[in-house]
Short mmCIF file of all heavy atoms in Angstrom, two decimals:
data_model
loop_
_atom_site.label_atom_id
_atom_site.label_comp_id
_atom_site.label_asym_id
_atom_site.label_seq_id
_atom_site.Cartn_x
_atom_site.Cartn_y
_atom_site.Cartn_z
N GLY A 1 0.79 -1.23 0.00
CA GLY A 1 0.00 0.00 0.00
C GLY A 1 0.81 1.27 0.00
O GLY A 1 0.28 2.35 0.30
N LEU A 2 2.10 1.18 -0.36
CA LEU A 2 2.97 2.35 -0.34
C LEU A 2 3.12 2.92 -1.75
O LEU A 2 3.52 2.21 -2.67
CB LEU A 2 4.35 1.98 0.19
CG LEU A 2 4.45 1.67 1.69
CD1 LEU A 2 5.81 1.08 2.01
CD2 LEU A 2 4.20 2.94 2.51
N PRO A 3 2.85 4.21 -1.94
CA PRO A 3 3.21 4.85 -3.21
C PRO A 3 4.72 4.94 -3.32
O PRO A 3 5.41 5.21 -2.32
CB PRO A 3 2.57 6.24 -3.11
CG PRO A 3 2.40 6.48 -1.64
CD PRO A 3 2.20 5.14 -0.99
N VAL A 4 5.27 4.71 -4.51
CA VAL A 4 6.71 4.59 -4.68
C VAL A 4 7.20 5.56 -5.74
O VAL A 4 6.59 5.71 -6.80
CB VAL A 4 7.10 3.14 -5.08
CG1 VAL A 4 8.61 3.03 -5.26
CG2 VAL A 4 6.61 2.14 -4.04
N THR A 5 8.32 6.21 -5.45
CA THR A 5 9.05 7.02 -6.43
C THR A 5 10.50 6.55 -6.43
O THR A 5 11.06 6.28 -5.37
CB THR A 5 9.01 8.52 -6.06
OG1 THR A 5 7.65 8.96 -6.00
CG2 THR A 5 9.75 9.35 -7.09
N ALA A 6 11.09 6.44 -7.60
CA ALA A 6 12.50 6.04 -7.71
C ALA A 6 13.36 7.24 -8.04
O ALA A 6 13.02 8.04 -8.93
CB ALA A 6 12.66 4.96 -8.78
N VAL A 7 14.45 7.39 -7.30
CA VAL A 7 15.39 8.49 -7.54
C VAL A 7 16.81 7.93 -7.51
O VAL A 7 17.02 6.74 -7.24
CB VAL A 7 15.26 9.62 -6.48
CG1 VAL A 7 13.85 10.19 -6.48
CG2 VAL A 7 15.62 9.11 -5.09
N ARG A 8 17.79 8.77 -7.74
CA ARG A 8 19.17 8.35 -7.64
C ARG A 8 20.01 9.52 -7.12
O ARG A 8 19.59 10.69 -7.19
CB ARG A 8 19.72 7.87 -8.98
CG ARG A 8 19.71 8.88 -10.11
CD ARG A 8 20.27 8.27 -11.38
NE ARG A 8 21.62 7.77 -11.20
CZ ARG A 8 21.94 6.46 -11.22
NH1 ARG A 8 21.00 5.55 -11.45
NH2 ARG A 8 23.17 6.06 -11.05
N SER A 9 21.19 9.21 -6.64
CA SER A 9 22.10 10.25 -6.18
C SER A 9 22.88 10.81 -7.37
O SER A 9 22.68 10.41 -8.52
CB SER A 9 23.07 9.68 -5.14
OG SER A 9 24.05 8.86 -5.78
N ARG A 10 23.82 11.67 -7.09
CA ARG A 10 24.66 12.24 -8.15
C ARG A 10 25.79 11.30 -8.56
O ARG A 10 26.53 11.61 -9.50
CB ARG A 10 25.24 13.58 -7.69
CG ARG A 10 24.20 14.70 -7.62
CD ARG A 10 24.84 16.00 -7.15
NE ARG A 10 25.97 16.38 -8.01
CZ ARG A 10 27.07 16.99 -7.57
NH1 ARG A 10 27.21 17.25 -6.29
NH2 ARG A 10 28.01 17.32 -8.42
N ALA A 11 25.93 10.16 -7.88
CA ALA A 11 26.94 9.18 -8.29
C ALA A 11 26.41 8.44 -9.53
O ALA A 11 25.39 7.75 -9.44
CB ALA A 11 27.22 8.20 -7.17
N PRO A 12 27.06 8.53 -10.68
CA PRO A 12 26.50 7.97 -11.90
C PRO A 12 26.65 6.46 -12.02
O PRO A 12 25.95 5.83 -12.80
CB PRO A 12 27.31 8.67 -13.01
CG PRO A 12 28.62 8.98 -12.36
CD PRO A 12 28.31 9.29 -10.93
N ASP A 13 27.56 5.87 -11.25
CA ASP A 13 27.78 4.43 -11.35
C ASP A 13 28.37 3.93 -10.04
O ASP A 13 28.66 4.72 -9.13
CB ASP A 13 28.73 4.09 -12.53
CG ASP A 13 30.02 4.90 -12.47
OD1 ASP A 13 30.69 4.91 -11.42
OD2 ASP A 13 30.35 5.55 -13.49
N ARG A 14 28.52 2.60 -9.94
CA ARG A 14 28.94 2.01 -8.67
C ARG A 14 30.36 2.39 -8.30
O ARG A 14 30.66 2.65 -7.14
CB ARG A 14 28.81 0.47 -8.75
CG ARG A 14 28.77 -0.20 -7.38
CD ARG A 14 27.58 0.31 -6.60
NE ARG A 14 27.38 -0.38 -5.34
CZ ARG A 14 26.51 0.01 -4.43
NH1 ARG A 14 25.75 1.06 -4.65
NH2 ARG A 14 26.37 -0.65 -3.30
N HIS A 15 31.26 2.42 -9.28
CA HIS A 15 32.64 2.79 -8.96
C HIS A 15 32.70 4.20 -8.38
O HIS A 15 33.36 4.44 -7.36
CB HIS A 15 33.51 2.70 -10.22
CG HIS A 15 34.91 3.20 -10.01
ND1 HIS A 15 35.85 2.49 -9.30
CD2 HIS A 15 35.51 4.38 -10.38
CE1 HIS A 15 36.98 3.18 -9.25
NE2 HIS A 15 36.79 4.33 -9.89
N THR A 16 32.02 5.14 -9.01
CA THR A 16 32.01 6.51 -8.51
C THR A 16 31.40 6.57 -7.12
O THR A 16 31.89 7.29 -6.24
CB THR A 16 31.24 7.42 -9.47
OG1 THR A 16 31.77 7.30 -10.78
CG2 THR A 16 31.31 8.87 -9.02
N TYR A 17 30.33 5.82 -6.93
CA TYR A 17 29.68 5.77 -5.62
C TYR A 17 30.66 5.35 -4.52
O TYR A 17 30.66 5.91 -3.42
CB TYR A 17 28.50 4.80 -5.68
CG TYR A 17 27.87 4.48 -4.35
CD1 TYR A 17 26.96 5.35 -3.76
CD2 TYR A 17 28.18 3.30 -3.67
CE1 TYR A 17 26.37 5.06 -2.55
CE2 TYR A 17 27.60 3.00 -2.45
CZ TYR A 17 26.69 3.89 -1.89
OH TYR A 17 26.13 3.59 -0.68
N LEU A 18 31.50 4.36 -4.82
CA LEU A 18 32.41 3.83 -3.81
C LEU A 18 33.57 4.78 -3.52
O LEU A 18 34.03 4.86 -2.38
CB LEU A 18 32.94 2.47 -4.25
CG LEU A 18 31.90 1.35 -4.31
CD1 LEU A 18 32.49 0.09 -4.91
CD2 LEU A 18 31.32 1.05 -2.92
N VAL A 19 34.04 5.50 -4.54
CA VAL A 19 35.21 6.37 -4.33
C VAL A 19 34.83 7.81 -4.04
O VAL A 19 35.68 8.59 -3.59
CB VAL A 19 36.16 6.31 -5.55
CG1 VAL A 19 36.65 4.89 -5.77
CG2 VAL A 19 35.51 6.86 -6.81
N ARG A 20 33.56 8.18 -4.25
CA ARG A 20 33.10 9.55 -3.98
C ARG A 20 31.85 9.51 -3.10
O ARG A 20 30.73 9.74 -3.57
CB ARG A 20 32.78 10.27 -5.30
CG ARG A 20 33.98 10.64 -6.14
CD ARG A 20 34.75 11.82 -5.54
NE ARG A 20 33.90 12.98 -5.29
CZ ARG A 20 33.62 13.92 -6.20
NH1 ARG A 20 34.11 13.82 -7.42
NH2 ARG A 20 32.86 14.96 -5.87
N PRO A 21 32.02 9.24 -1.81
CA PRO A 21 30.86 9.19 -0.91
C PRO A 21 30.03 10.46 -0.91
O PRO A 21 28.81 10.41 -0.71
CB PRO A 21 31.49 8.94 0.46
CG PRO A 21 32.81 8.32 0.18
CD PRO A 21 33.27 8.93 -1.10
N ASP A 22 30.66 11.61 -1.17
CA ASP A 22 29.92 12.87 -1.16
C ASP A 22 28.83 12.90 -2.22
O ASP A 22 27.74 13.44 -2.00
CB ASP A 22 30.88 14.04 -1.36
CG ASP A 22 31.68 13.92 -2.66
OD1 ASP A 22 32.25 12.85 -2.91
OD2 ASP A 22 31.74 14.92 -3.41
N LEU A 23 29.08 12.28 -3.38
CA LEU A 23 28.08 12.27 -4.43
C LEU A 23 26.89 11.40 -4.07
O LEU A 23 25.76 11.64 -4.52
CB LEU A 23 28.69 11.81 -5.75
CG LEU A 23 29.78 12.71 -6.34
CD1 LEU A 23 30.28 12.14 -7.66
CD2 LEU A 23 29.26 14.14 -6.53
N GLY A 24 27.12 10.37 -3.26
CA GLY A 24 26.03 9.51 -2.82
C GLY A 24 25.13 10.16 -1.78
O GLY A 24 24.06 9.63 -1.46
N ARG A 25 25.54 11.33 -1.28
CA ARG A 25 24.76 12.04 -0.26
C ARG A 25 23.92 13.17 -0.85
O ARG A 25 23.20 13.85 -0.10
CB ARG A 25 25.70 12.62 0.80
CG ARG A 25 26.51 11.56 1.54
CD ARG A 25 27.34 12.18 2.66
NE ARG A 25 28.16 11.17 3.31
CZ ARG A 25 29.48 11.10 3.21
NH1 ARG A 25 30.14 12.00 2.50
NH2 ARG A 25 30.15 10.14 3.82
N THR A 26 24.01 13.39 -2.16
CA THR A 26 23.28 14.49 -2.78
C THR A 26 22.41 13.97 -3.92
O THR A 26 22.79 13.04 -4.63
CB THR A 26 24.23 15.58 -3.30
OG1 THR A 26 25.20 14.97 -4.17
CG2 THR A 26 24.95 16.27 -2.16
N LEU A 27 21.25 14.58 -4.09
CA LEU A 27 20.28 14.12 -5.08
C LEU A 27 20.66 14.58 -6.49
O LEU A 27 21.10 15.72 -6.69
CB LEU A 27 18.90 14.69 -4.76
CG LEU A 27 17.94 13.84 -3.95
CD1 LEU A 27 16.71 14.67 -3.60
CD2 LEU A 27 17.54 12.58 -4.67
N ASP A 28 20.48 13.68 -7.44
CA ASP A 28 20.54 14.05 -8.84
C ASP A 28 19.44 15.09 -9.11
O ASP A 28 18.32 14.97 -8.61
CB ASP A 28 20.33 12.80 -9.69
CG ASP A 28 20.18 13.11 -11.16
OD1 ASP A 28 21.20 13.35 -11.81
OD2 ASP A 28 19.02 13.09 -11.64
N ALA A 29 19.77 16.11 -9.90
CA ALA A 29 18.84 17.21 -10.11
C ALA A 29 17.53 16.75 -10.73
O ALA A 29 16.44 17.18 -10.32
CB ALA A 29 19.50 18.29 -10.98
N ALA A 30 17.62 15.88 -11.73
CA ALA A 30 16.40 15.40 -12.38
C ALA A 30 15.56 14.58 -11.41
O ALA A 30 14.32 14.65 -11.42
CB ALA A 30 16.75 14.57 -13.61
N ALA A 31 16.22 13.82 -10.55
CA ALA A 31 15.49 13.02 -9.55
C ALA A 31 14.79 13.92 -8.55
O ALA A 31 13.64 13.68 -8.16
CB ALA A 31 16.45 12.07 -8.84
N ALA A 32 15.46 14.97 -8.13
CA ALA A 32 14.87 15.89 -7.15
C ALA A 32 13.58 16.50 -7.69
O ALA A 32 12.62 16.72 -6.95
CB ALA A 32 15.87 16.98 -6.79
N ALA A 33 13.55 16.76 -8.98
CA ALA A 33 12.37 17.37 -9.58
C ALA A 33 11.15 16.46 -9.54
O ALA A 33 10.01 16.93 -9.64
CB ALA A 33 12.67 17.77 -11.03
N ARG A 34 11.37 15.14 -9.37
CA ARG A 34 10.25 14.20 -9.33
C ARG A 34 9.62 14.13 -7.95
O ARG A 34 8.57 13.49 -7.78
CB ARG A 34 10.72 12.81 -9.75
CG ARG A 34 11.07 12.71 -11.22
CD ARG A 34 11.08 11.26 -11.68
NE ARG A 34 12.12 10.48 -11.04
CZ ARG A 34 13.38 10.39 -11.48
NH1 ARG A 34 13.73 11.08 -12.56
NH2 ARG A 34 14.26 9.65 -10.87
#
């Protein structure tokens, strides 16, 4: 019964996510607009 929205962080891929934790803490601009 939960409405769902999918978003992503500013990390574009898994490698970047692992080496740039700061990008995983901020919303992708297009995702934020949703």
Side-chain angles (χ1 to χ4, degrees):
L2 289 170
V4 180
T5 302
V7 301
R8 60 180 303 111
S9 74
R10 288 179 56 215
D13 52 52
R14 199 60 174 171
H15 174 74
T16 306
Y17 171 81
L18 293 173
V19 300
R20 289 286 306 273
D22 57 311
L23 296 181
R25 299 184 183 110
T26 54
L27 265 173
D28 172 78
R34 290 198 295 273

